């Protein structure tokens, strides 16, 4: 799945599994890239555990994340799901955009370089176990509704009773797909309609 190194001509300073682990810690702890490298510098134990001879520069983590194929994440998630018995009574859908660079959003705005494009990740999770049952990543900005029906068709095999989503998903085709194809009840707030 993840080769030890990205190619035979890389410097071989850091293995891909070690970088992936650091990336997972960054996301789990909601830290910045610099915070993760600061943590590594202050922890010999983590460095030994990951067999790191040096602490990677924060841009090394950022570049690794930028080139990480979605297929690798999908395969990792499939392996996790294979090892768990899924009994999803409630499934939640949502989409979230995030940047893979290290520029501060406030700095980008004041410098008039606000991002026009970013990664949009659409996920479906089992509410009880918080396992990711389905996800798709695309360049944003995109509407969540583009991916909702594909996600619902993918997760209906888990026989959910309820499918939760925010009002972005309040469309007739999405509700119909939930009710008729997934045989579940939709729990989606109504969009605020303009008063006439």
């Amino acid at each position: 799945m993840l080769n030890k190194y990205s190619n035979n001509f890389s410097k071989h300073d850091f293995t891909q599994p070690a970088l992936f682990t650091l990336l997972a810690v960054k996301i789990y702890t909601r830290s910045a890239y610099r915070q993760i490298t600061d943590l590594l510098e202050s922890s010999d134990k983590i460095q030994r555990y990951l067999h790191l001879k040096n602490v990677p520069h924060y841009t090394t983590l950022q570049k690794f994340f930028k080139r990480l194929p979605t297929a690798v994440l999908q395969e990792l998630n499939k392996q996790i799901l294979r090892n768990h018995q899924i009994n999803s009574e409630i499934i939640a859908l949502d989409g979230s955009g995030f940047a893979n660079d290290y520029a501060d959003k406030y700095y980008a705005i004041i410098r008039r370089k606000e991002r026009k494009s970013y990664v949009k990740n659409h996920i479906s999770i089992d509410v009880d176990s918080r396992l990711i049952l389905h996800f798709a990543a695309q360049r944003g900005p995109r509407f969540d509704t583009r991916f909702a029906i594909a996600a619902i068709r993918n997760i209906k095999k888990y026989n959910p009773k309820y499918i939760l989503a925010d009002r972005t998903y309040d469309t007739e085709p999405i509700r119909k797909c939930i009710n008729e194809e997934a045989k579940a009840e939709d729990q989606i707030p109504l969009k605020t309609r303009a008063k006439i």
Side-chain angles (χ1 to χ4, degrees), residues 91-93 123-124 133-135 144-160 162-165 169 171-186 188:
I91 294 177
L93 309 178
I123 64 171
S124 309
L133 305 177
H134 176 75
F135 78 91
D144 294 348
T145 50
R146 285 186 174 213
F147 302 92
I149 290 177
I152 294 161
R153 287 176 176 158
N154 187 278
I155 61 177
K156 68 181 182 181
K157 62 189 172 192
Y158 298 109
N159 300 314
Y162 304 98
I163 295 181
L164 284 59
Y169 296 85
T171 69
E172 191 59 34
I174 290 174
R175 289 185 188 273
K176 187 175 180 180
C177 188
I178 291 172
N179 302 148
E180 296 180 10
E181 293 191 41
K183 309 293 186 200
E185 290 185 41
D186 62 86
I188 304 171

Side-chain angles (χ1 to χ4, degrees), residues 3 15 28 40 61 73-74 109 116-117 120 131 191:
N3 294 326
T15 66
Y28 183 77
L40 276 175
L61 290 173
L73 299 175
Q74 288 174 332
I109 292 170
K116 295 179 181 176
S117 179
K120 185 83 173 183
L131 289 171
K191 287 180 182 172

Side-chain angles (χ1 to χ4, degrees), residues 106-134:
Y106 175 73
Y107 173 80
I109 292 170
I110 64 172
R111 298 289 294 170
R112 300 179 190 274
K113 293 181 179 178
E114 191 168 7
R115 301 177 185 97
K116 295 179 181 176
S117 179
Y118 51 87
V119 175
K120 185 83 173 183
N121 197 15
H122 300 267
I123 64 171
S124 309
I125 67 160
D126 171 38
V127 171
D128 289 332
S129 67
R130 308 236 178 128
L131 289 171
I132 297 172
L133 305 177
H134 176 75

Side-chain angles (χ1 to χ4, degrees), residues 29 35 41 49 55 61 105 126 132 163 175:
T29 59
Q35 291 172 312
E41 286 174 357
Y49 182 79
V55 173
L61 290 173
K105 183 172 174 58
D126 171 38
I132 297 172
I163 295 181
R175 289 185 188 273

